[in-house]
Amino acid sequence: MLTRRYVLVGSVGAGKTSLFNALNNDYGIAVKTQAVAFDDQGGVDTPGEFFNHPRLYSALISTTTEAETIIYVHAANDKTCRLPSGLLDVYSNKEVITVITKIDLPDIDLIAIKEMLMAHGLKEPFFEICTYDPSSVQTLADYLNQDGQSKSLRGKHNE
Ligand SMILES: Nc1nc2c(ncn2[C@@H]2O[C@H](COP(=O)(O)OP(=O)(O)O)[C@@H](O)[C@H]2O)c(=O)[nH]1
Ligand SMILES: [Mg+2]
């Protein structure tokens, strides 16, 4: 049972569903996400289309209302951040954390990716994950299980 209610957001193919499943101890192949998915521990997975198409932002925002933590998921081999400008402002009262997935891929430059994400307004903490590696997923799960003040202050986006 994870303590924090979270929503995964990010582009199509970023690895949200694989991560969602891994957080639920399912390491099988992710099928394409057609709808918002809820687990029984407060987690929510969203279709990447919510994020990639401006006309669906309102759907994205209504899905995230109940969540305490927004997890922005970005693939390590994706050099562009499609985070809509201003979307993070909507979440100024929530904790926003960033997960960089697919760190197992060859020829990735994690430092450059992080710099690019920070230039788009994302802040620490960044989690570097391969969704097939349970130990890297566990680091995130532990963080989400952490209770309390210090974590929400550290991750709060508007600080
Ligand atoms: N190499 C690698 N591939 C991954 C990783 N996580 C997800 N994928 C693959 O990336 C593709 C998209 O993943 P999916 O979870 O469906 O992304 P979503 O559209 O954000 O939900 C799938 O083929 C996954 O198997 C990872 O950590 N490493
Ligand atoms: Mg998906």
Side-chain angles (χ1 to χ4, degrees), residues 2-60:
L2 300 174
T3 317
R4 308 284 288 182
R5 281 177 293 152
Y6 66 87
V7 176
L8 299 169
V9 303
S11 291
V12 175
K16 298 178 297 299
T17 302
S18 305
L19 178 60
F20 181 72
N21 291 346
L23 286 168
N24 286 291
N25 292 313
D26 170 5
Y27 287 87
I29 302 289
V31 294
K32 174 96 180 69
T33 313
Q34 308 286 5
V36 177
F38 300 85
D39 64 19
D40 54 11
Q41 51 183 7
V44 182
D45 183 25
T46 59
E49 283 79 3
F50 274 19
F51 191 84
N52 292 74
H53 300 297
R55 69 191 164 79
L56 296 175
Y57 291 169
S58 59
L60 179 66

Side-chain angles (χ1 to χ4, degrees), residues 29-148:
I29 302 289
V31 294
K32 174 96 180 69
T33 313
Q34 308 286 5
V36 177
F38 300 85
D39 64 19
D40 54 11
Q41 51 183 7
V44 182
D45 183 25
T46 59
E49 283 79 3
F50 274 19
F51 191 84
N52 292 74
H53 300 297
R55 69 191 164 79
L56 296 175
Y57 291 169
S58 59
L60 179 66
I61 288 160
S62 57
T63 307
T64 54
T65 316
E66 297 294 311
E68 297 157 294
T69 301
I70 307 295
I71 305 180
Y72 171 62
V73 182
H74 188 95
N77 62 342
D78 182 355
K79 295 203 174 67
T80 26
C81 177
R82 294 175 201 82
L83 188 72
S85 67
L87 191 65
L88 285 178
D89 299 334
V90 176
Y91 299 132
S92 58
N93 61 343
K94 296 184 193 288
E95 179 188 33
V96 178
I97 64 181
T98 304
V99 171
I100 302 175
T101 54
K102 311 194 189 184
I103 59 163
D104 54 302
L105 291 178
D107 303 323
I108 53 169
D109 183 346
L110 278 176
I111 293 172
I113 290 288
K114 268 197 227 174
E115 277 172 3
M116 186 276 290
L117 293 175
M118 286 194 262
H120 279 84
L122 291 157
K123 293 178 183 166
E124 300 280 351
F126 288 91
F127 289 88
E128 296 165 13
I129 280 178
C130 166
T131 48
Y132 313 131
D133 170 14
S135 66
S136 69
V137 175
Q138 191 57 46
T139 312
L140 175 66
D142 289 347
Y143 181 86
L144 292 171
N145 272 325
Q146 232 177 275
D147 154 274

